[in-house]
Structures are given as structure tokens and as C-alpha cells.
RNA sequence: GCCGGUGUAGCACAGCGGUAGUGCAGCGCUCUUGUAAAGCGAAGGUCGGGGGUUCAAGUCCCUCCACCGGCACCA
């Protein structure tokens, strides 16, 4: 048997017989390391302590101190322990897959009876029992036939299918946790006793399609979360509570921004407070667009199916459109229309009016386009995913040679807008050509290169999403990260070679001949509804002053102050501040509490002293202290703060 | 659309086969108040819609709708 040389992280080298397993390497260092070891990094690969090493390599032994490895193993082993617990409790349940996900894992089961919340408690107890058994984890490599026969004999059809999916030449690895067995690529811990019995929790049961395919059976998925210790779990559960307090549906009610009701599922009833946010944001975007060379248009809501057939949407998205049929009772001829689900075909109609010259390009056509889509009922979510929404949409008609410059300008505008709205950082994703696509490779080459180089020129790194582009062209997607670390994909820029062709857009070039323009579809916010939801959650309702629907409440302390309160409100309103009076017969404590819960950024309290001195006592949301200031100074300061960032 | 859960007063919730309850908000009265809930009083609900079982149904069954959590979808 040959020898191999292993290099340790400190640079030391040692020779071992070929086929040595990391467990033996750990034991050669110390018995305590052998006990504490959970896995190894071998040539950078996450390695099971039982996998043999056949050649020279770098090696590092992982213990629970190594965050990434520890969390990966804890979550992965718990997935197995949970599956085992379920099968111990209900032997007829069939197991499928159970991967590690962010903060935990899930495992999908096939069981006739639904799992109940009580079942989760029972499973959790059984898992703790299994952990306390300290069962050793062992592994073997089987050949395909043996694995298939084994699973057929054990009536585990999903596992049979999984074995069949493992590519030729890749090992089919079996793991044993005591007597329980699962197909798994590993690695795993040494024994179940290495798992923290008090740092995991089963969270919820949910349906999930086998292999993500809605034509295949619905399985039952159990989600769990796990961390290295009890404190980390507690922190995470606390984080969930905090996230719930930011929920835009809850804040929407508490701040009286909007509501939704049964008669109009997926559509928003904007209350005065919410609509102030909406119009403030829209006015801001309109100024930004004007400053960036866009022209604004507006197009019809109800459009005959012929246009959607021509654009290709009828064929693909008919099921998801609101159809409006007009019959002979009302009109001479029956017609079938759709509420517009998008604006682009209408924008091409405007482009097509009159002859366009190359001198007209690039033509940046913007619309706050009100769209309706019949989204599947299960997709609806507050104001984030709705059936009626308004996009900050625009289409840039340009020549291929202008794609790069237009992309660069767009990214500059988008980053300025995001910064103004409180998002300093965003990520860029680039999706290139899919297998099914329109247009020649030559054109795709040019479009992809233009998007990439414009992104790089703008100083942004991008993540590649291979093959995820639209069938009509490559795209960029812009992803915001919010205050508690969640990602939101908002902006997009898509190159489209197809729609101008289908809807016969053209311009006259310098050569006097007709040419096809390229269309860039682009949005920065995405939809106002969703973006306002994101703003609410990002700021936990405490919107920046300029966006706050109620900026100032002027509250009387004694009724003798009422006249001065009204005067202060009038001064603020005429200075452009959204101010209102609260002269109800209530204690100042009560008023402060109520307006603080309503997320009003500034409360001005006025009692006898303030009336006497023509001052106000100012209290800012989230602060304990107050300051008493002269009226003129406060009006000037608040008027300045109320200006949108592009006007300040 | 699929799986599971939920739907009781404006809001948050209790009641789970025998004449609909609590807190807060709202309304009335008293209090003129100094920075996160003053006191008292009178009200307020065809218990999501429809159908069924029963002497009797928020309570049990069926069905539809909406919402919540996932999955699938997202031009």
C-alpha cells in the first residue's frame, strides 16, 4: 500500500498510508480532537471523517468551533434524525429528500394523513431521544442494483427514483444512523450525540410537490431551524418576532395606510395615509424620469385580444389575464378584450404612430402603467403580490449600438433612486441566453456583451444566472437588501429583439432604409404596491420624513392652546409640511403614545408656556427627550426636511 | 392552482351542541391635563357566504369565498 502526504493548516506535513480516513488523522493528533472532530476539509472539500483519502492533500479537521461546517452538519444530520423519528413513529411514511436550507432544513414525506402541530411536538421529542442514544453514523458505497433492490424491497419508491437520478460514475452512498438508513451524499457527524438537542425547533408543515413539479404528487414538508447552541436559536426566534412586527400588512392597518377585502382580492384600497406615500413616491419618480430624458405616456386599460395575439401574450398568458367580453346587448359586435397585464405592446403602438427617424432614438417612453393580472390565488400576499398594480415602466427604443450607453444611464439613474429611498447597496444579476430563444446568436452576442460591459463600466460586479434570460433577450436584475438582511428583487432591464419584430416597429436609418429598433424594458421600483410594502418593512413603518404620510402632529396640552395649535398647523401646511392638529380632550401622554404607535416622525406639543412664548416643544419618534424651539425656526427646519431628496 | 391551517364587535382574542363574552378603540359625561394608555357610563355582533344534521349549531357535516404558511407560478 502506498503512502500519502497530508499538509495541515499550520504547514506541517505527515505521511499516512493511502486510504487513511480523516478520523484516523484526527486520532493521530490527539484523542480529544478525535472526539471533538465533526468532519474535515480535504483539498477544500467538505469531507466525512470516514471517507478514505487516496492521494496527497491539504487537510483540516473541523470541530463545532468551525461555523460553516458545524452548521451544515448539524442541519443535515437533523434532517436525517427527523426522517428517522418520523419513520419510527409512523413506519408506513415514505421518505424522499431533506436538504439543508438557510437557517435549517426541511424533509419531504409521503404520508396519507396530514401532519398536525401536535405531531411536530411528538417528532421533536423523538428526535431528542434519538440524539441521546448517541447512535454512530456509518457509511458504505453500494452499487446501483443493490440500492434499487433494497429500496424496492423496503417500499420506498421515491428513493428508487433518486438512485436512478444519480449520474453514472458518482458513488451511491448509504448512511446508517444506528439501524436507520438513508441514501445521502454526506458528509455526516460521527454520531447523533454530537447534535445540540436544545438548539433546533420544528417550525411548520407545508405541502410541496415531489421534485418541484406541480404535475407530480404533493408531499408533506416539515421545516426545521437549527443552530450551534440554544442562544443562537433564541436569537433567531427573536429575529422572527421582530420581522413580524415589520409586516407591511400589520403596519398598513396600524398606520391606516390601506386595506383589502374579499370583493376585490389582490387589489388595494389605498387610504389617505397610504395614498400620500404613493403619490409622493410617484411624483418623485416622475421628476427623476423627466430629468433623465424620458417622455411620459398613458395607454388604455381594456385592449382587444388582437393586440395580445400579435404580441404573443395571448397564447402564453391568456389564463392569467382578466378577460372583458362585450356582447351584442351593448355593442354591435361581440368583442373579447383583456385588461392590460403589461404596457409594452401599447407603447409600441405609440412608437408606430408616424414615421420614426434614427434621429428620434433613443426614445425613452415611460408610463406609470396600471396593470391587472389574474394571479393564482395562492400567490397573493398583502400588497406585495397583487392582481392590480402600477409599474414604473418604461421602454427605450434604440439601436443595437445604443444598448450599452442606455444601460449605463439606466444603472446610474437606478442607483441614485435607490440611494434616495434608503438603499445604498444593491446586487446585480445577469441572465444570459436560454436554450429556447428567439434571435440569432450574433445578435445575442452583441446584446449580452453590451449589458455586461455597461454594468462593469458602471462599477458593479454581477452574478451570472446562466440560461435564465427571457426568450426575447438577456436581462439584468437589481436586488436590494433591506434593514434586516432580506433580499428584494426590484429593478430590471431586459433587452428585447422580438416584440419590435412582432409588432412591426421600425425607424428610417441614415441610409434611408427601414430598420428594427431594439426595445429595452426597464423598471426601477417594479410596482408601486410592492415597493411601498418593501419600504414599510425596511423602515418598520418609520419612513423617512419626506415620505411619511403624516409628518407632524401638533398636539395641545390644554384647551387654551387650541388656537395656537391651529396657527402652527396652518404655518406648517403652507410651508409644505403634512401637519395636522390634535386638540382632542386627552392627556399629552395619551396623544404621544397614539401618534408614536402611528409612526408620526414629529410631535409638537403646545401648552400654556408655549402659547405664551410662541414656541413649540418638539419630540422625535423613537427619542425620549424633547426640545422647545421658536415657531419660526421649527417651520423652517421641518419645511426643509419635508423636501424630497431630489429637491433638497 | 395544490397541501395544511384560520375566519366571532373597528382591532386583539375567549367561547367549541343548550338564550353571544373580555380588553382596547368608538360614543356620552367628568377631568384641563407636560411627553408612550385618566375615571365613570351607555351602546355595539344575521359568529365569512350558502346548504345540511339536530328539539336545539360560532360550536358537528358538506360546499363556496377570503386570508395565513408553504409549494407551483410571476410576461
Amino acid at each position: 500500500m502506498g503512502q500519502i502526504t497530508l499538509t495541515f493548516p499550520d504547514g506541517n506535513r505527515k505521511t499516512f498510508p493511502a486510504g487513511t480516513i480523516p478520523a484516523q488523522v484526527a486520532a493521530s493528533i490527539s484523542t480529544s480532537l478525535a472526539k471533538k472532530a465533526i468532519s474535515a476539509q480535504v483539498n477544500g472539500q467538505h469531507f466525512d471523517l470516514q471517507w478514505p483519502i487516496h492521494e496527497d492533500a491539504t487537510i483540516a479537521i473541523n470541530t463545532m468551533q468551525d461555523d460553516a461546517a458545524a452548521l451544515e452538519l448539524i442541519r443535515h444530520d437533523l434532517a436525517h434524525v427527523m426522517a428517522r423519528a418520523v419513520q419510527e413513529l409512523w413506519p408506513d411514511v415514505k421518505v424522499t429528500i431533506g436538504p439543508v436550507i438557510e437557517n435549517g432544513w426541511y424533509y419531504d414525506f409521503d404520508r396519507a394523513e396530514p401532519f398536525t402541530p401536535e405531531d411536530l411536538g411528538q417528532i421533536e421529542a423523538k428526535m431528542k431521544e434519538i440524539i441521546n442514544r448517541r447512535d454512530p453514523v456509518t457509511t458504505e458505497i453500494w452499487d446501483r442494483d443493490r440500492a434499487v433492490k433494497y429500496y424496492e424491497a423496503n417500499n420506498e419508491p421515491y428513493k428508487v427514483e433518486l438512485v436512478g437520478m444519480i449520474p453514472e460514475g458518482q458513488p451511491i452512498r448509504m448512511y446508517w444512523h444506528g439501524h436507520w438508513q438513508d441514501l445521502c451524499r454526506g458528509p455526516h457527524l460521527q454520531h447523533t450525540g454530537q447534535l445540540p438537542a436544545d438548539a433546533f425547533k420544528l417550525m411548520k408543515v407545508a405541502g410541496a410537490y415531489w421534485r418541484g413539479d406541480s404535475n407530480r404528487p404533493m408531499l408533506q414538508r416539515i421545516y426545521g431551524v437549527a443552530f450551534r447552541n440554544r442562544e443562537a436559536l433564541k436569537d433567531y426566534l427573536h429575529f422572527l418576532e421582530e420581522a413580524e412586527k415589520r409586516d407591511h400588512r400589520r403596519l398598513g392597518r396600524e398606520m391606516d395606510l390601506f386595506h383589502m377585502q374579499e370583493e376585490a382580492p389582490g387589489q388595494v384600497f389605498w387610504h389617505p395615509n397610504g395614498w400620500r406615500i404613493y403619490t409622493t413616491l410617484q411624483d418623485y419618480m416622475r421628476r427623476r424620469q423627466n430629468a433623465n430624458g424620458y417622455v411620459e405616456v398613458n395607454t388604455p386599460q381594456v385592449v382587444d385580444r388582437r393586440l395580445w395575439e400579435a404580441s404573443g401574450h395571448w397564447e402564453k398568458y391568456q389564463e392569467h389575464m382578466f378577460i372583458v367580453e362585450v356582447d351584442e346587448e351593448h355593442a354591435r359586435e361581440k368583442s373579447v378584450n383583456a385588461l392590460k397585464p403589461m404596457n409594452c405592446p401599447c407603447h409600441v403602438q405609440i412608437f408606430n404612430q408616424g414615421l420614426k427617424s434614427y434621429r428620434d432614438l433613443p426614445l425613452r417612453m415611460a408610463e406609470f402603467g396600471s396593470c391587472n393580472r389574474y394571479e393564482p390565488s395562492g400567490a397573493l400576499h398583502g400588497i406585495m403580490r397583487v392582481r392590480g398594480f402600477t409599474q414604473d415602466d418604461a421602454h427605450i427604443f434604440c439601436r443595437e449600438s445604443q444598448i450599452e450607453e442606455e444601460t449605463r444611464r439606466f444603472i446610474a439613474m437606478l442607483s441614485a433612486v435607490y440611494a434616495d429611498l434608503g438603499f445604498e447597496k444593491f446586487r446585480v444579476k445577469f441572465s444570459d441566453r436560454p436554450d429556447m430563444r428567439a434571435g440569432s446568436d450574433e445578435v445575442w452576442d452583441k446584446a449580452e456583451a453590451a449589458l455586461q460591459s455597461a454594468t462593469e463600466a458602471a462599477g458593479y460586479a454581477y452574478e451570472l444566472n446562466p440560461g435564465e434570460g427571457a426568450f426575447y433577450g438577456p436581462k439584468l436584475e437589481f436586488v436590494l437588501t433591506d434593514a434586516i438582511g432580506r433580499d428584494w428583487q426590484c429593478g430590471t432591464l431586459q433587452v428585447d429583439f422580438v416584440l419590435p419584430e412582432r409588432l412591426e416597429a421600425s425607424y428610417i436609418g441614415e441610409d434611408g432604409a427601414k430598420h428594427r429598433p431594439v426595445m429595452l424594458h426597464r423598471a426601477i421600483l417594479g410596482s408601486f404596491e410592492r415597493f411601498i410594502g418593501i419600504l414599510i418593512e425596511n423602515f418598520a413603518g418609520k419612513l423617512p420624513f419626506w415620505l411619511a404620510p403624516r409628518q407632524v402632529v401638533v398636539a395641545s396640552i390644554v384647551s387654551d392652546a387650541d388656537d395656537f395649535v391651529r396657527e402652527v398647523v396652518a404655518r406648517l401646511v403652507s410651508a409644505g409640511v403634512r401637519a395636522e392638529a390634535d386638540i382632542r380632550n386627552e392627556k399629552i401622554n395619551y396623544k404621544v403614545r397614539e401618534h408614536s404607535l402611528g409612526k408620526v416622525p414629529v410631535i409638537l406639543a403646545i401648552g400654556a408656556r408655549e402659547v405664551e412664548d410662541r414656541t413649540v416643544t418638539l419630540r422625535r419618534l423613537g427619542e425620549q427627550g424633547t426640545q422647545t424651539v421658536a415657531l419660526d425656526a421649527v417651520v423652517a427646519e421641518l419645511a426643509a426636511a419635508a423636501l424630497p431628496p431630489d429637491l433638497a
Side-chain angles (χ1 to χ4, degrees), chain A residues 135-342:
Chain A
D135 280 332
V137 180
T138 57
T139 179
E140 293 168 3
I141 292 176
W142 285 14
D143 65 50
R144 194 179 301 266
D145 285 350
R146 183 179 173 199
V148 168
K149 282 198 185 106
Y150 175 87
Y151 281 125
E152 280 171 350
N154 282 282
N155 193 21
E156 293 283 10
Y158 299 95
K159 289 291 180 187
V160 173
E161 190 173 335
L162 289 172
V163 170
M165 281 165 59
I166 296 175
E168 208 55 57
Q170 218 167 290
I172 293 170
R173 198 173 277 286
M174 293 294 183
Y175 268 91
W176 299 84
H177 287 224
H179 297 299
W180 190 81
Q181 177 279 354
D182 199 5
L183 173 76
C184 183
R185 69 168 74 88
H188 277 288
L189 295 168
Q190 296 195 55
H191 58 85
T192 58
Q194 287 183 313
L195 287 167
D198 59 352
F200 75 91
K201 183 170 162 62
L202 303 188
M203 302 298 285
K204 57 195 168 197
V205 199
Y209 296 109
W210 168 232
R211 303 195 50 206
D213 184 343
S214 57
N215 297 311
R216 308 200 65 176
M218 170 87 39
L219 306 171
Q220 294 190 62
R221 174 172 299 178
I222 302 179
Y223 285 91
V225 294
F227 297 89
R228 276 177 30 186
N229 51 48
R230 196 160 55 97
E231 286 64 44
L233 174 64
K234 266 172 69 181
D235 287 349
Y236 177 73
L237 296 176
H238 184 247
F239 164 83
L240 288 185
E241 277 171 34
E242 289 303 308
E244 203 184 316
K245 286 185 195 153
R246 292 172 176 258
D247 191 308
H248 73 281
R249 293 164 297 192
R250 172 180 174 148
L251 287 165
R253 186 172 51 246
E254 289 173 358
M255 296 170 70
D256 194 15
L257 303 178
F258 57 82
H259 86 273
M260 304 174 90
Q261 64 185 52
E262 266 192 48
E263 289 80 354
Q267 299 184 83
V268 187
F269 290 77
W270 286 104
H271 295 12
N273 287 342
W275 193 243
R276 275 187 208 118
I277 303 174
Y278 191 112
T279 54
T280 303
L281 188 59
Q282 193 175 63
D283 292 347
Y284 165 80
M285 289 304 290
R286 178 171 284 129
R287 288 192 303 273
R288 280 286 182 200
Q289 284 174 1
N290 290 342
N292 280 276
Y294 287 77
V295 289
E296 187 176 327
V297 299
N298 193 265
T299 59
Q301 291 300 318
V302 181
V303 177
D304 193 279
R305 64 184 280 180
R306 281 172 299 165
L307 182 62
W308 308 114
E309 283 166 350
S311 71
H313 292 104
W314 189 264
E315 193 192 357
K316 200 161 178 218
Y317 291 108
Q318 194 191 142
E319 296 300 307
H320 299 286
M321 293 202 236
F322 280 98
I323 307 296
V324 182
E325 291 192 30
V326 180
D327 63 25
E328 296 82 357
E329 297 279 323
H330 306 95
R332 264 190 219 106
E333 280 182 58
K334 189 178 173 86
S335 71
V336 178
N337 308 271
L339 292 186
K340 72 172 168 182
M342 54 182 352

Side-chain angles (χ1 to χ4, degrees), chain A residues 87 95 105 134 144 316 346 389 435 443 479 521 524 537 625 637:
Chain A
Q87 287 200 317
V95 291
W105 79 92
R134 302 173 67 84
R144 194 179 301 266
K316 200 161 178 218
C346 291
F389 56 96
D435 294 338
V443 174
V479 182
H521 306 245
I524 295 176
E537 300 212 352
E637 186 197 329

Side-chain angles (χ1 to χ4, degrees), chain A residues 339-351:
Chain A
L339 292 186
K340 72 172 168 182
M342 54 182 352
N343 309 298
C344 30
C346 291
H347 288 186
V348 178
Q349 304 315 302
I350 294 180
F351 183 88

Side-chain angles (χ1 to χ4, degrees), chain A residues 312-601:
Chain A
H313 292 104
W314 189 264
E315 193 192 357
K316 200 161 178 218
Y317 291 108
Q318 194 191 142
E319 296 300 307
H320 299 286
M321 293 202 236
F322 280 98
I323 307 296
V324 182
E325 291 192 30
V326 180
D327 63 25
E328 296 82 357
E329 297 279 323
H330 306 95
R332 264 190 219 106
E333 280 182 58
K334 189 178 173 86
S335 71
V336 178
N337 308 271
L339 292 186
K340 72 172 168 182
M342 54 182 352
N343 309 298
C344 30
C346 291
H347 288 186
V348 178
Q349 304 315 302
I350 294 180
F351 183 88
N352 285 354
Q353 292 302 110
L355 273 187
K356 291 293 180 296
S357 151
Y358 69 94
R359 294 176 204 276
D360 296 320
L361 306 184
L363 176 56
R364 308 185 190 96
M365 191 184 289
E367 177 172 2
F368 296 118
S370 176
C371 297
N372 290 275
R373 295 180 183 173
Y374 189 75
E375 300 285 4
S377 57
L380 303 178
H381 176 87
I383 64 171
M384 299 278 205
R385 185 83 184 271
V386 285
R387 287 181 175 158
F389 56 96
T390 301
Q391 298 173 317
D392 64 317
D393 197 12
H395 297 93
I396 301 172
F397 296 86
C398 65
R399 298 149 79 150
E400 268 176 48
S401 61
Q402 293 170 321
I403 293 175
E404 185 167 340
E405 166 68 6
E406 288 306 307
T407 301
R408 197 188 55 71
R409 294 173 71 122
F410 173 67
I411 295 176
M413 176 181 168
L414 169 138
S415 58
V417 168
Y418 286 169
D420 281 349
L421 295 171
F423 300 97
E424 294 296 335
K425 284 193 190 139
F426 58 87
R427 295 186 291 125
V428 185
K429 295 198 291 188
F430 171 64
S431 301
D432 64 8
R433 66 192 78 188
D435 294 338
M436 294 281 288
R437 60 178 179 269
S440 71
D441 285 355
E442 194 193 356
V443 174
W444 275 88
D445 287 343
K446 276 192 248 176
E448 287 172 357
L451 282 189
Q452 281 168 312
S453 66
T455 309
E456 282 159 14
Y460 293 95
Y462 56 82
E463 303 155 33
L464 187 61
N465 257 349
E468 291 296 307
F471 76 96
Y472 49 72
K475 62 184 179 187
L476 293 175
E477 280 159 347
F478 300 88
V479 182
L480 300 176
T481 302
D482 76 7
I484 56 173
R486 297 172 302 181
D487 282 347
W488 303 95
Q489 185 178 307
C490 294
T492 182
L493 181 138
Q494 307 176 6
V495 182
D496 187 351
F497 308 115
V498 172
L499 202 59
E501 183 80 38
R502 296 194 69 134
L503 298 179
E504 299 179 325
S506 65
Y507 66 92
I508 309 298
E510 292 163 272
D511 57 2
K514 275 190 176 183
H515 297 274
R516 284 274 174 250
V518 176
M519 260 176 103
L520 306 181
H521 306 245
R522 43 108 295 167
I524 295 176
L525 307 180
S527 92
F528 281 91
E529 287 74 8
R530 179 160 176 273
F531 200 86
I532 290 171
I534 294 167
L535 282 174
I536 293 167
E537 300 212 352
N538 178 60
F539 290 109
K542 297 172 193 160
L543 294 169
F545 195 79
W546 72 279
L547 276 173
R550 305 164 68 207
Q551 294 172 321
V552 178
V553 168
V554 186
S556 58
I557 296 171
V558 292
S559 51
D560 285 347
D562 291 358
D563 285 344
F564 189 48
V565 166
R566 280 188 273 260
E567 183 187 338
V568 173
V569 168
R571 284 281 305 276
L572 287 166
V573 168
S574 63
V577 178
R578 292 187 285 268
E580 57 199 77
D582 183 355
I583 53 175
R584 291 174 303 169
N585 177 17
E586 294 290 353
K587 299 214 183 313
I588 192 66
N589 289 293
Y590 181 90
K591 295 182 183 181
V592 165
R593 175 180 155 82
E594 187 175 290
H595 301 308
S596 297
L597 290 172
K599 314 288 191 228
V600 177

